[in-house]
Amino acid sequence: MRTIYFATSNKAKAEEAKKALLPFRITIKHLNITKPEEQHASIEEIAKDGAEFLADMTKKELLVEDTGLFFDAYPGFPGPNTKQLFEQLGYDGLLRLLKGKKRTAYFKTAIGYAKPGKAARLFIGISKGSIAKKIQGKYDKNVPYDIIFIPKGYKKTYALIPEIKEITSHRVVAFQKLGKWLKKQ
């Protein structure tokens, strides 16, 4: 088994990575550190720059992940500011923002993988779907959008179909791409 560190303050993300990478014989160790994100950076830049900076700082082979939710009604938005938008508007504000608008949306995850002194590689995962008109499911502070995001091809939110999220989510897709690439190395 190969061990790679996952630099994140969100332990739930590390657990999701462990499950996704286990079939590739990769063990994830949670490293509770983050690099301050630059304002207006893309999720790709945040993941790549964070992985390179933290790999050099810790002298460890590691991953940095960033995810954004993108509303088709507002191109590029909220993107890397997804967490801040939710903290400021809550569900009522988010749902009101989309009232009368196109409700299609997608999650995009960027995983930066780096070794000390090396350029990071990026792995991208996308989940297409739509935003529900009302909350469906139980709130989880680690994944607050799961109760309003309906993956494409389904009628329920991720919160109500966790077994589907475990195999189709943006994060799982990105980790599978990483796992396949590492297996070839």
Side-chain angles (χ1 to χ4, degrees):
M1 293 286 276
R2 180 179 192 166
T3 300
I4 300 176
Y5 290 84
F6 187 0
T8 179
S9 58
N10 186 332
K11 195 172 182 176
K13 285 183 181 182
E15 289 302 316
E16 192 172 354
K18 278 182 187 179
K19 286 181 187 177
L21 292 172
L22 193 58
F24 300 99
R25 301 190 42 78
I26 298 168
T27 300
I28 292 295
K29 290 210 175 201
H30 179 222
L31 192 60
N32 191 11
I33 59 170
T34 58
K35 176 187 183 279
E37 296 175 5
E38 294 181 29
Q39 294 296 329
H40 308 293
S42 69
I43 63 169
E44 293 88 352
E45 292 167 322
I46 292 166
K48 181 183 180 298
D49 294 348
E52 290 171 356
F53 176 84
L54 294 172
D56 288 344
M57 185 183 92
T58 63
K59 307 293 183 227
K60 296 182 185 312
E61 175 183 21
L62 59 73
L63 310 172
V64 170
E65 176 270 354
D66 196 45
T67 295
L69 176 62
F70 297 82
F71 301 141
D72 289 341
Y74 302 99
F77 180 80
N81 302 309
T82 301
K83 182 178 178 181
Q84 295 84 349
L85 182 73
F86 175 71
E87 289 172 350
Q88 292 175 356
L89 298 180
Y91 294 114
D92 287 342
L94 286 172
L95 297 176
R96 205 170 31 249
L97 186 68
L98 292 171
K99 188 173 182 177
K101 301 278 185 186
K102 188 175 186 179
R103 301 188 79 79
T104 53
Y106 64 95
F107 273 107
K108 183 183 205 182
T109 290
I111 297 171
Y113 162 80
K115 290 182 178 181
K118 305 280 185 186
R121 287 192 63 98
L122 282 175
F123 300 88
I124 308 297
I126 294 175
S127 291
K128 293 183 178 184
S130 61
I131 303 300
K133 291 186 177 182
K134 62 181 183 170
I135 292 170
Q136 299 177 22
K138 186 178 175 191
Y139 171 77
D140 179 340
K141 69 177 180 154
N142 294 311
V143 285
Y145 284 93
D146 280 8
I147 63 175
I148 61 169
F149 185 77
I150 301 170
K152 188 175 182 177
Y154 295 89
K155 295 181 189 235
K156 296 179 181 179
T157 63
Y158 267 152
L160 296 176
I161 49 173
E163 66 283 1
I164 299 301
K165 182 181 179 186
E166 282 185 19
I167 58 174
T168 66
S169 84
H170 45 285
R171 205 169 281 124
V172 169
V173 169
F175 280 118
Q176 287 174 345
K177 288 178 180 179
L178 168 68
K180 287 175 186 173
W181 181 80
L182 286 171
K183 194 173 182 178
K184 290 179 184 177
Q185 302 305 306

